[in-house]
Amino acid sequence: MEPEMEDKTLEQMNSTFMDSQTDERSKKTTVFKTITNGLMTGSRKRPSEGNYEKEKEVCIQLFDQWSEADQVEFVEHLISRMCHYQHGHINSYLKPMLQRDFITALPAQGLDHIAENILSFLDARSLCSAELVCKEWQRVISEGMLWKKLIERMVRTDPLWKGLSERHQWEKYLFKNRTTEVPPNSYYRSLYPKIIQDIETIEANWRCGRHNLQRIQCRSENSKGVYCLQYDDDKIISGLRDNSIKIWDKQSLECLKILTGHTGSVLCLQYDERVIVTGSSDSTVRVWDVNTGEVLNTLIHHNEAVLHLRFCNGLMVTCSKDRSIAVWDMASPTDISLRRVLVGHRAAVNVVDFDDKYIVSASGDRTIKVWSTSTCEFVRTLNGHKRGIACLQYRDRLVVSGSSDNTIRLWDIECGACLRVLEGHEELVRCIRFDNKRIVSGAYDGKIKVWDLQAALDPRAPASTLCLRTLVEHSGRVFRLQFDEFQIISSSHDDTILIWDFLNVSTNGQTEGRSPSRTYTYISR
């Protein structure tokens, strides 16, 4: 084809294309004007003219011929010409069209696992509501075992749930895959409210002081007190004034073993799965095999009684009546070396605690001192107690201390501020522990007090609301206590160890705050 003929052909093709585009735009403009002229008449009511249906049909036929982009553009122009009243009607019409039941749609596409994963993030109340949406949602929840997953999530994150799962033995039905034999979803669906009821009962028992009491009489011929203790689900290990360490069966409360070797009272102890470490008024620290009771190591450093100790992750801190604090590296039970001696207190250092950031010590000189764990350098002093400090616990930013001024103080370790003073004990506060909910303190007045920690941290809470319960069973000074979500275990100058059980409480014939006790007596030979 010659060049001139080719140019004429291209011009004709372009002209035809442009004409078609112009015709398309013209049709859209005509339709747009036809419709909008009716909208702009000033009346919201459409005149009942006979040609409306014909015009509407023409518009729809033309609309169907356009591309999706052109249809959207046309509708946007159309909506822009409408009034607010009309926009409301269109919105009401579009809203249900835009909703999607994705939970029902996903399984239809073979994506059940995604639907299950989405619903697995719901809490119990929302999961109950989701079950009522429709049969398909109920099927996804049931086949996905989502009540089981919810309970497993709570057991992983909440110590109270974990403890209940172990004590009530439904833990064996958790954390098993679908290939093993597990109860149906209905079992977990009915289990959940029972767990909630158990938790509410335990919390009520703590608030009201309802408990079941067990008593271990561990006096021997020359013993006059149980100075320290620690327990787990299987055993209680106690340090006595008669220089011995006694290990008790947690269930039967019988004495399993007696460790001897110290030549003075056992004032402090801590154990883990491998060793027991004890400090004594004989100025030594001893390391024992927790299983055999064999002495593995004896540390001779302090010049006077070792009053308290803590160890964790290869580090141990001890403190003494000699006013010093010793920091030790524990490579193994038999390889323990002195890293640093911290000096600064002007009286006996009664207690220490630490984490990866700080070592905290308290003394008879009325002060709490903070030291860097990594460098062992002094950081700051917390001042406020009027007399010597006998006990403390430190966790995160919070320090809680007890003193011979009969008060308990809560401190922010980072700024050194005293957050609250708790008053109620009549004598020296000898031991103190806290968790996320409560502070439990024991004193020389023989009383154990339970305090509301969250209320104590709220400056608006009245002082009269802070002490939840006072427990009175010991006939002598309370020396040491430890507690968890279900119980308090305490020891005293009266030569007893008391187990205050807030989980297994019999309500028959009991008065509030006290319960019949079961007594076990051990006589050493």
Side-chain angles (χ1 to χ4, degrees), residues 17-27:
F17 177 75
M18 294 299 292
D19 289 344
S20 67
Q21 289 290 92
T22 303
D23 290 344
E24 191 75 13
R25 290 196 187 95
S26 177
K27 288 177 183 178

Side-chain angles (χ1 to χ4, degrees), residues 445-473:
D445 57 13
K447 297 175 183 176
I448 293 173
K449 288 184 177 289
V450 182
W451 312 80
D452 186 331
L453 174 60
Q454 296 306 316
L457 292 173
D458 183 355
R460 300 167 298 178
S464 59
T465 65
L466 302 182
C467 184
L468 301 176
R469 188 58 50 179
T470 300
L471 305 174
V472 185
E473 288 288 351

Side-chain angles (χ1 to χ4, degrees), residues 508-520:
N508 297 329
Q510 289 186 20
T511 57
E512 187 176 284
R514 297 179 70 94
S515 62
S517 64
R518 187 157 60 104
T519 302
Y520 294 80

Side-chain angles (χ1 to χ4, degrees), residues 202-221:
I202 292 168
E203 294 298 328
N205 290 341
W206 275 98
R207 287 193 303 272
C208 300
R210 289 191 296 267
H211 61 273
N212 183 48
L213 189 70
Q214 295 175 288
R215 187 188 307 265
I216 301 175
Q217 296 280 5
C218 48
R219 69 172 67 91
S220 58
E221 294 178 2

Side-chain angles (χ1 to χ4, degrees), residues 7 52 63-64 70 90 163 169 177 200 206 224 259 262 287-288 318 426 437 466 469 480 494 510:
D7 291 342
Y52 164 72
F63 185 84
D64 288 341
D70 288 341
I90 291 173
Q169 298 183 352
N177 57 41
E200 291 174 352
W206 275 98
K224 297 181 181 179
L259 310 183
H262 279 297
V287 183
W288 317 72
T318 60
E426 299 165 10
K437 299 176 184 176
L466 302 182
R469 188 58 50 179
R480 193 76 58 175
D494 64 14
Q510 289 186 20

